[in-house]
């Protein structure tokens, strides 16, 4: 079932949680609402579920207006941040709850309930825990039971609030891959909220980046990572170096070097911010005759798949971070305090007015 | 070798820690003795006195004091007052705590203050309020006489006064508990399609049952033991409007000490049972594995 969100506004007292939000979630997609805490992403999720009502705007499910539809009739599954499992019921009863509370006419028989609950517990690979109580489970197990419970009512939309937020790093990684596979199997329209960009980039079909109650950018993981629409998205998705620069007739000037852009040809001497990802910085030990920034290696982080360098530019005060492969690092034979020459491979410039251009 | 060393280090650390954080023996013992002396003086000795005085003239006098008609009528009235006020306060307490803990609305702080009112007001004043409203010279006095209804100096007045003094107990017990539990489980129930009643029965009540039971026991103890408010509205008519605490007072004023202490010992016994139940409930809610309850509408 597709979801259309139109001009949603929501205020809590003086705080604007959502400011004119528009969003389409196509049928069967897995969409991530990504943003820092307080950006309105959880409020948006709760409005889709019907747990909050918007001050203004409308929600449509499958083209039908559903803004005032009762939560119970929305056919959504909701997985809460802290799972909200019923602590006095067994795992089995937790999953069966949504079926048991149905009116007599539509309630499945006891045998049917048994069959479906065990089917769901098998789906989340926890059939052997049916008789346990929630306090006896680990965080990852609770998470999967919460998911099974949400799926028991055969929702048309699955909503997950920070689904992996309370888990430790290892379990989180396993679970999000598992969620992705599960989604590929079930093809149920899903929206999940997260503040973890890595999680959103890995799991989602599409990412909705939010900040201060507004949507900053919507796009596939690759789109938002490679072509961020605003400085905020640039900074929020991964590490980035920020340079003060000047744009003049299609040329960006950072310190002594200038790079040609394929936009801003008519701009005369405007201040701008330039962004370069750490892995888009080339490091040389010789000037090479090219236009480069001179810097001194101030710290080397060699643990991990690639080597991260903290660099102190000669003419600027802010440190620069560069990421190079281990092979390249060996080739260069760098030491702390070594003089290096930097060349941005790929730069994106935002004029002070806020327009954007990839080079 | 290395394990022995580390074990030794661990042991030393333990000893050092306990020495570092505790007071010298004489401080500990004087504090314990002061506490014990205080408790004996104000609790144990009076409690023992109640039972010894009650049995001073022998067991037969004791039983006789309890089975005489006026005493039986006082016991009966006390049970009636508790039996009516308890369920009413149970419903009110759960409703108020549910509203306060799970919803946001205007006037919430006023409601909380109102619930605390009986704690703040002297019970005698609570009794007087009902006399002013329902008494002969009160607002509804003439109307009640015209319709041949008696509130003051009758059972309804006693029940009203009892409800007034006991109504904070359950709500006060439940509000912090329900606030701590939050409303995520209720919301989960809602999304899964449960109706308001189903959520109350299958999610909210099972989660608060120990706190609720605790509140009920405190309410019951107070309902049976209340003196001030009931004294004002009762009129002290023997065999008619006397509750157990009032009956004790009358007997005592008539120098019938053995009988007074006999009835008092019943109330004291009730207090001991209440304490035992309270400890049991606290132990249960802390240790028990939560019992399962199938959801069948």
């Amino acid at each position: 079932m597709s979801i259309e969100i139109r001009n949603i506004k929501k205020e809590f007292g003086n705080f604007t949680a959502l400011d004119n939000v528009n969003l389409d979630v196509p049928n069967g997609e897995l969409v991530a609402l990504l943003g820092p805490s307080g950006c309105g992403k959880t409020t948006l999720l709760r409005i889709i579920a019907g747990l909050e009502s918007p001050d203004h705007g409308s929600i449509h499910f499958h083209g039908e207006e559903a803004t005032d539809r009762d939560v119970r009739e929305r056919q959504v599954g909701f997985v809460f941040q802290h799972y909200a499992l019923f602590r006095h019921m067994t795992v089995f009863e937790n999953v069966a709850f949504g079926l048991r509370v149905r009116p007599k006419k539509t309630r499945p028989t006891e045998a049917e309930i048994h069959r479906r609950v065990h089917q769901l517990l098998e789906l989340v690979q926890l059939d052997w825990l049916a008789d346990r109580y929630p306090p006896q489970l680990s965080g990852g197990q609770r998470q999967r039971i919460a998911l099974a419970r949400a799926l028991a009512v055969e929702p048309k939309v699955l909503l997950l609030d920070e689904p992996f937020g309370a888990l430790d790093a290892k379990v989180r990684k396993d679970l999000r891959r598992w969620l992705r596979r599960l989604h590929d199997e079930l093809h149920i329209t899903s929206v999940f909220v997260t503040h973890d960009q890595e999680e959103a980039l890995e799991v989602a079909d599409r990412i909705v980046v939010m900040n201060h109650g507004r949507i900053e950018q919507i796009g596939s993981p690759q789109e938002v990572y490679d072509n961020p629409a605003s400085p905020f998205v640039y900074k929020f998705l991964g590490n980035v170096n920020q340079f003060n620069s000047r744009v003049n007739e299609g040329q960006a000037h950072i310190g002594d070097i200038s790079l040609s852009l394929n936009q801003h040809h008519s701009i005369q001497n405007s201040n701008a911010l330039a962004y370069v990802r750490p892995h888009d910085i080339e490091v040389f030990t010789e000037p090479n005759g090219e236009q480069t920034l001179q810097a001194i290696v101030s710290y080397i982080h060699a643990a991990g798949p690639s080597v991260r360098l903290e660099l102190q530019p000669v003419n600027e005060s802010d440190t620069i971070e560069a990421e190079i492969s281990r092979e390249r690092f060996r080739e260069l034979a760098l030491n702390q305090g070594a003089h290096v020459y930097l060349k941005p491979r790929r730069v994106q410039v935002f004029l002070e007015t806020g327009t954007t251009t990839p080079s | 070798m290395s394990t022995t060393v580390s074990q030794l280090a661990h042991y030393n650390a333990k000893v050092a820690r306990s020495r570092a954080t505790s007071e010298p023996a004489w401080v500990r013992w004087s504090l314990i003795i002061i506490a014990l002396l205080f408790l004996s003086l104000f609790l144990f000795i009076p409690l023992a006195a109640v039972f010894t005085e009650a049995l001073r003239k022998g067991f037969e006098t004791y039983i006789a004091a309890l089975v005489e008609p006026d005493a039986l009528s006082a016991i009966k009235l006390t049970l009636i007052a508790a039996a009516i006020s308890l369920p009413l306060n149970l419903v009110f307490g759960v409703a108020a705590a549910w509203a306060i803990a799970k919803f946001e609305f205007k006037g919430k702080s006023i409601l909380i203050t109102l619930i605390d009112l009986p704690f703040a007001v002297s019970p005698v004043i609570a009794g007087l309020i009902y006399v002013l409203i329902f008494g002969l010279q009160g607002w509804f006095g003439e109307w009640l006489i015209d319709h041949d209804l008696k509130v003051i100096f009758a059972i309804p007045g006693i029940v009203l006064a009892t409800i007034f003094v006991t109504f904070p107990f359950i709500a006060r017990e439940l509000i912090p508990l329900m606030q701590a539990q939050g409303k995520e489980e209720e919301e989960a129930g809602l999304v899964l399609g449960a109706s308001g009643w189903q959520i109350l029965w299958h999610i909210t009540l099972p989660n608060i049952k120990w706190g609720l039971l605790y509140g009920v026991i405190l309410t019951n103890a107070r309902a049976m033991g209340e003196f001030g408010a009931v004294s004002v509205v009762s009129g002290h008519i023997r065999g008619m409007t006397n509750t157990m605490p009032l009956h004790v007072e009358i007997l005592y004023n008539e120098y019938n000490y053995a009988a007074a202490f006999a009835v008092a010992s019943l109330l004291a016994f009730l207090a001991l049972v209440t304490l035992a139940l309270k400890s049991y409930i606290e132990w249960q809610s802390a240790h028990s594995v939560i019992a399962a309850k199938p959801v069948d509408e």
Side-chain angles (χ1 to χ4, degrees), chain A residues 311-350:
Chain A
L311 304 155
Q312 183 61 54
V314 176
N315 300 327
E316 294 203 36
S317 54
D318 290 341
T319 52
I320 298 174
E321 205 182 306
E323 206 175 310
I324 56 175
S325 69
R326 299 188 81 93
E327 292 77 33
R328 180 78 183 140
F329 178 67
R330 261 192 304 267
E331 248 172 68
L332 293 169
L334 291 175
N335 286 315
Q336 217 160 309
H339 272 265
V340 289
Y341 300 87
L342 310 177
K343 180 171 181 284
R345 200 179 294 143
R346 197 166 174 283
V347 65
Q348 193 161 347
V349 171
F350 295 95

Side-chain angles (χ1 to χ4, degrees), chain B residues 258-277:
Chain B
F261 277 109
V263 179
S265 73
L266 272 190
L267 284 170
F269 180 68
L270 172 77
L272 291 176
V273 170
T274 303
L275 283 179
L277 276 174

Side-chain angles (χ1 to χ4, degrees), chain A residues 46 51 71-72 76 78 80-82 84-90 93 97-98 100-102 107 133 135 149 153, chain B residues 181 184-185 187-196 198 202-203 206-207 289-297:
Chain A
R46 290 173 62 86
L51 293 169
V71 189
R72 301 176 189 96
V76 297
F78 200 104
F80 290 83
Q81 187 177 2
H82 302 292
L85 293 176
F86 307 129
R87 64 196 98 180
H88 61 281
M89 292 182 203
T90 60
E93 289 303 331
F97 186 86
R100 290 206 199 275
V101 294
R102 284 191 186 168
R107 199 190 310 160
Y133 288 92
R149 182 178 70 177
V153 293
Chain B
Q181 288 179 347
E184 271 202 342
E185 283 185 47
E187 283 179 344
L190 193 66
V191 177
L192 289 169
S195 68
Q198 287 172 326
H202 299 308
I203 299 170
N207 277 344
V289 177
I290 328 105
K293 244 190 175 178
V295 184
D296 43 15
E297 216 178 290

Side-chain angles (χ1 to χ4, degrees), chain A residues 199-210:
Chain A
E199 193 171 295
L201 291 172
E202 184 175 324
V203 176
D205 294 319
R206 284 210 301 163
I207 294 179
V208 178
V209 186
M210 294 181 69

